[in-house]
Amino acid sequence: MEDQQIIELYWARSEQAIRESETKYGAFCLSIARNILAQEQDAEECVNDTWLRAWNAMPPQRPGILSAFFGKLTRNLSLDRWRYNRAAKRGGPQVETALEELGECIPAPGRPEDRLEERETAALISRFLREQPQLDRVLFLRRYWYLDSVAALAERFSMNENTVKSRLHRTRLRLKEVLLREGVAV
């Protein structure tokens, strides 16, 4: 079923929307959740919560890219669950490691005026990524958005793990330079 048809089902409040979403995007969302969460049950619950969030968001929202909409919902729900598990001393090191790596070149929020700065920083990062070689851009997104492990990236792109680490490190350094040059405190 086409994405627009699925969106129309949500707007019509048809429960078929959830079934069609699960059929078309269930595996995609589950892979995102699994990359973040150590427990299969937690990952499955986050995917199920994704459909509930989508149900509550449409209407009024009408996503332009349904896969990105579901992916973002799943990622945010999974990160919330990961934080909860971590606070309860049940989390795994994979997500923490990726977030620590990225934390070296991204400013941390904290002040009310950070909202505007966050949008400007997001625009800078997007522009930066568009200017990177495709492989570096994909590695960066797979590592820091989808939270793929270095080992998974190495296997996916037929590379040595050290090569992946090195490319990610150099990309983070370039990003940090761009952000500092643009006046973003890192």
Side-chain angles (χ1 to χ4, degrees):
M1 180 174 276
E2 295 297 317
D3 288 356
Q4 277 309 114
Q5 293 171 308
I6 295 173
I7 292 169
E8 290 306 322
L9 289 173
Y10 277 102
W11 276 70
R13 307 311 287 164
S14 170
E15 290 182 18
Q16 184 184 354
I18 294 171
R19 288 189 296 275
E20 296 295 336
S21 298
E22 174 69 34
T23 299
K24 188 167 183 181
Y25 293 108
F28 168 69
C29 291
L30 191 57
S31 72
I32 293 170
R34 282 179 178 149
N35 283 342
I36 297 170
L37 299 165
Q39 300 290 328
E40 181 71 16
Q41 183 178 357
D42 285 348
E44 290 171 1
E45 286 179 22
C46 285
V47 172
N48 288 333
D49 289 347
T50 297
W51 313 137
L52 176 63
R53 287 275 175 95
W55 181 265
N56 291 331
M58 291 185 278
Q61 289 186 13
R62 190 176 288 274
I65 303 171
L66 199 55
S67 61
F69 178 74
F70 287 145
K72 184 175 181 180
L73 288 175
T74 303
R75 181 178 187 274
N76 290 341
L77 286 164
S78 298
L79 285 171
D80 288 345
R81 176 63 62 94
W82 175 80
R83 286 183 193 101
Y84 171 80
N85 288 350
R86 183 172 175 244
K89 304 214 184 293
R90 293 188 296 259
Q94 175 60 33
V95 175
E96 189 170 350
T97 302
L99 296 177
E100 284 175 8
E101 289 171 2
L102 195 56
E104 296 171 4
C105 63
I106 302 292
R111 305 169 299 161
E113 60 271 14
D114 285 341
R115 284 284 189 214
L116 177 60
E117 290 177 20
E118 286 172 6
R119 282 192 294 256
E120 292 170 353
T121 302
L124 281 171
I125 293 169
S126 291
R127 187 170 58 241
F128 167 79
L129 288 173
R130 281 191 300 273
E131 295 169 354
Q132 297 308 299
Q134 182 179 357
L135 179 59
D136 290 340
R137 180 174 56 247
V138 172
L139 286 171
F140 190 91
L141 289 173
R142 295 294 322 173
R143 177 72 173 140
Y144 301 116
W145 176 256
Y146 295 104
L147 296 166
D148 287 353
S149 69
V150 170
L153 291 171
E155 183 179 331
R156 181 183 194 129
F157 295 100
S158 302
M159 299 170 73
N160 180 300
E161 286 187 35
N162 286 333
T163 304
V164 171
K165 287 178 186 178
S166 178
R167 290 185 83 111
L168 287 169
H169 178 72
R170 286 193 304 267
T171 303
R172 288 193 315 270
L173 288 177
R174 288 191 305 269
L175 174 59
K176 186 175 183 176
E177 287 175 21
V178 167
L179 293 175
L180 288 173
R181 188 172 52 242
E182 293 294 329
V184 176
V186 214

